[in-house]
Amino acid sequence: MSENIEIIEYIKKTPKTELHLHIEGTLEPDHMFKLAKRNNVSIPFKNIEEVKSAYNFHNLDSFLNIYYQGSKVLINEEDFFDLTWDYILKCKKDNVVHTEIFFDPQTHMDRGIDFDVVINGIYKALSKAENELNITSKIIMCFLRHLDEESGFKVLSKALKHKDKIIGVGLDSSELGNPPKKFEKLFKKAIEEGFLTVAHAGEEGPPEYIWEAINLLKIKRIDHGVQCLKDEKLVKKLKESQIPLTVCPLSNIKLCVFDKLEEHNLKKIINKDLMATVNSDDPAYFGGYLNENLLQVQSALNLSKKEVKTLIINSFKSSFLNEKEKNNWISKI
Ligand code: ADE
Ligand code: ZN
């Protein structure tokens, strides 16, 4: 077998975990149409081709506008269940054995959808995944950073009765102009309530935002973090602390963070011994689920099998599984 075919097979067959996945970002165009019809919601597209041609983004905000529009078709618990179950079937296909998913309650509550409808639909699908397919998961609730901290406190209060289902809180949406420090009090309260914390930082935003996420929000992982290489001190900090970066290669290309995959800095990040992981972010919008991200970035950057293996092991190490579960999976890789 040629070396490359061997790596492709290795990526497909190896058990993997995903740590950066927005469940709303798994809404495929055909599913969007199905739900629009079922719920009698109008969407600004005539057919699937029109949806796909609208997926031409020039930065994060241009994507978010379309993404929040798409989410409007999600109304009932059943919709959130179906959305999550469809993603789980993708996990099965890709050999993803554990996934830690984000959801954005404010996107739905601001449209009058009850918090419980959202979390219960997602949770029921994830429970079924564990019972029927042995795919385990954790749920992370994200605050929308373009909204104010007050709105975040309201969502946090709704989440308290679901502590058994939600392991942590995160921070997503429009990064530039919405630094982590805007949410320092909210994250402090979330930690006091027992939630772990993560945050999107350094996707488009400067290294300073990564420092703030570490120092002020006390995060366990940085989501994206690819701007870190602009700051040598930060690289040293990330290397010493081994704070994981949940890198999303196809997302970074679709949102023009890098011009092309060959110019992505993942290999440099790996070579600097940072705790890098590969993830799919919003796969229905960015052109592929976890295997596709690994396959394309491996090919574009000519990653060795050893580097791919490191990335996969890093994801288990960086997950919120317990040590025994982590070691069990890592021993199988
Ligand atoms: N919400 C969904 N995807 C996102 C991303 N890549 N960055 C920030 N917020 C998001
Ligand atoms: Zn994201």
Side-chain angles (χ1 to χ4, degrees), residues 9 16 31 79-80 83 98 100 109 115 120 123 162 166 185 189 200 203 231 247 257 267 286 293:
E9 282 310 300
K16 290 167 290 286
H31 200 170
D79 305 334
F80 290 94
L83 176 74
H98 177 73
E100 305 196 348
M109 288 162 71
F115 185 98
N120 289 336
Y123 186 74
H162 296 287
I166 300 171
K185 290 192 211 77
K189 173 77 177 152
H200 283 54
E203 177 182 12
D231 179 339
V247 178
V257 174
K267 197 171 172 108
F286 299 153
N293 272 270

Side-chain angles (χ1 to χ4, degrees), residues 179-182 207-218:
K181 68 171 179 235
K182 182 175 162 187
E208 185 56 28
Y209 285 17
I210 302 178
W211 281 115
E212 286 181 16
I214 296 169
N215 293 330
L216 306 180
L217 308 188
K218 315 284 180 204

Side-chain angles (χ1 to χ4, degrees), residues 22 60 63-64 67 104 172-173 200 203 224 251 255 281-282 286:
H22 302 262
L60 175 58
F63 155 68
L64 291 170
Y67 170 76
D104 282 345
D172 66 1
S173 192
H200 283 54
E203 177 182 12
H224 293 292
S251 163
L255 302 188
D281 207 5
D282 302 285
F286 299 153

Side-chain angles (χ1 to χ4, degrees), residues 234-280:
L234 178 58
V235 171
K236 190 163 175 273
K237 168 78 183 176
L238 291 170
K239 182 177 172 178
E240 282 169 8
S241 62
Q242 289 289 289
I243 293 173
L245 304 180
T246 63
V247 178
C248 306
L250 293 181
S251 163
N252 292 153
I253 303 311
K254 268 289 199 182
L255 302 188
C256 306
V257 174
F258 300 94
D259 289 338
K260 45 185 178 134
L261 211 44
E262 288 73 13
E263 288 172 14
H264 199 287
N265 66 4
L266 177 65
K267 197 171 172 108
K268 292 195 189 104
I269 290 177
I270 299 171
N271 289 342
K272 287 184 185 291
D273 292 326
L274 307 193
M275 184 57 88
T277 68
V278 167
N279 307 273
S280 70

